[in-house]
Amino acid sequence: MFTPQGPSLRELAVQALSSVEHGYDLLAPKFDHTPFRTPDAVLDPVTRALRELGPYRTGLDLCCGTGAGLGVLREVCAERAVGVDFSAGMLDVARRGEPTASYVRGDALALPFGPAFDLVVSFGAFGHFLPRQHAALFAQVRQVLLPGGQFVFPMPAPARPGSRGYWAMLGFDSVMRVRNAVWRPPFVMYYRVFRFGAVREELERAGFDVTLRALPELGERPDGTPRCALVVATART
């Protein structure tokens, strides 16, 4: 799963026993050499879809990490791309990779912006938020969007019960829950808590109209449904 340039098992263990913020500060220099970086195989279809949905002038990458999503914003936003993350280490790496973007260290649950963006994207960060935090998170996104702006993110189809992916995610979440029950500070990263039905309801309560857009490049499941779709939440005017 990891390249020789990636973190060692010891480094991953130290990260897992840290807080979320400090853990990502530690992992940042080698993060792009792990499977946790959003792959180009996902970023490229999202870029194509956003070109069709746009045009956009200003974009925000929510929980931008090392900046993979900022390359998407650079392609589709005519004026300004901004990344926000609470890990200083991840932002340092992002600045080197996407030097033309702007960066702000901040909490996604207390965004330091007014209505300044017509596009907000996020890639792979939602496992760091508990279900009870989703309403506050989506309210913050709504606050920073201009009227008619869009909050867009890819969402994989849930793993089929009994499949290898299902057991892998269940096992990972179970290990994290045990870890957080016996160790402080907590490290919140749960893959199974971000479910479309509940997420859609919370987005609609926050003032969004929600649609799904297939990403055909990522394939189909045996029943013909897409393996991954783009959630497009448009702020009501």
Side-chain angles (χ1 to χ4, degrees):
M1 292 176 64
F2 296 92
T3 68
Q5 295 78 31
S8 66
L9 288 175
R10 181 183 179 279
E11 289 171 321
L12 287 173
V14 171
Q15 183 217 10
L17 295 175
S18 305
S19 68
V20 181
E21 179 180 341
H22 183 55
Y24 275 103
D25 285 344
L26 294 173
L27 186 60
K30 299 183 178 181
F31 181 82
D32 286 346
H33 299 288
T34 73
F36 306 121
R37 180 192 185 273
T38 304
D40 291 343
V42 173
L43 298 172
D44 292 344
V46 172
T47 302
R48 176 196 57 76
L50 288 173
R51 286 197 186 106
E52 295 174 0
L53 288 166
Y56 303 102
R57 294 182 302 106
T58 55
L60 174 69
D61 186 358
L62 185 73
C63 306
C64 68
T66 55
L70 284 158
V72 175
L73 294 183
R74 174 170 42 80
E75 293 292 327
V76 303
C77 293
E79 295 180 10
R80 184 184 180 212
V82 179
V84 63
D85 201 280
F86 71 168
S87 166
M90 298 291 268
L91 290 173
D92 286 343
V93 176
R95 287 188 185 95
R96 293 196 293 271
E98 290 289 342
T100 61
S102 301
Y103 295 92
V104 176
R105 186 180 180 191
D107 185 349
L109 297 174
L111 291 172
F113 310 105
F117 304 97
D118 50 15
L119 174 64
V120 175
V121 298
S122 195
F123 296 91
F126 298 121
H128 295 302
F129 300 92
L130 297 170
R132 65 175 181 268
Q133 297 175 306
H134 291 164
L137 175 66
F138 299 154
Q140 287 293 301
V141 175
R142 179 67 182 83
Q143 173 183 297
V144 304
L145 278 169
L146 294 162
Q150 292 179 326
F151 179 31
V152 179
F153 52 90
M155 191 163 191
R160 298 188 311 277
S163 67
R164 182 179 300 178
Y166 174 88
W167 289 116
M169 287 189 291
L170 179 62
F172 183 90
D173 281 11
S174 298
V175 168
M176 291 303 298
R177 291 184 187 280
V178 171
R179 180 259 186 234
N180 289 333
V182 301
W183 193 267
R184 291 290 183 273
F187 193 96
V188 176
M189 187 165 67
Y190 299 119
Y191 284 108
R192 300 174 69 246
V193 300
F194 199 73
R195 298 175 178 173
F196 179 67
V199 166
R200 181 172 197 154
E201 290 180 5
E202 292 288 3
L203 284 167
E204 290 173 345
R205 277 196 284 268
F208 291 95
D209 294 320
V210 182
T211 60
L212 279 177
R213 187 183 183 97
L215 296 173
E217 297 96 327
L218 297 177
E220 295 182 344
R221 301 199 295 177
D223 63 1
T225 57
R227 292 189 181 279
C228 186
L230 202 63
V231 177
V232 182
T234 303
R236 299 189 194 109
T237 57

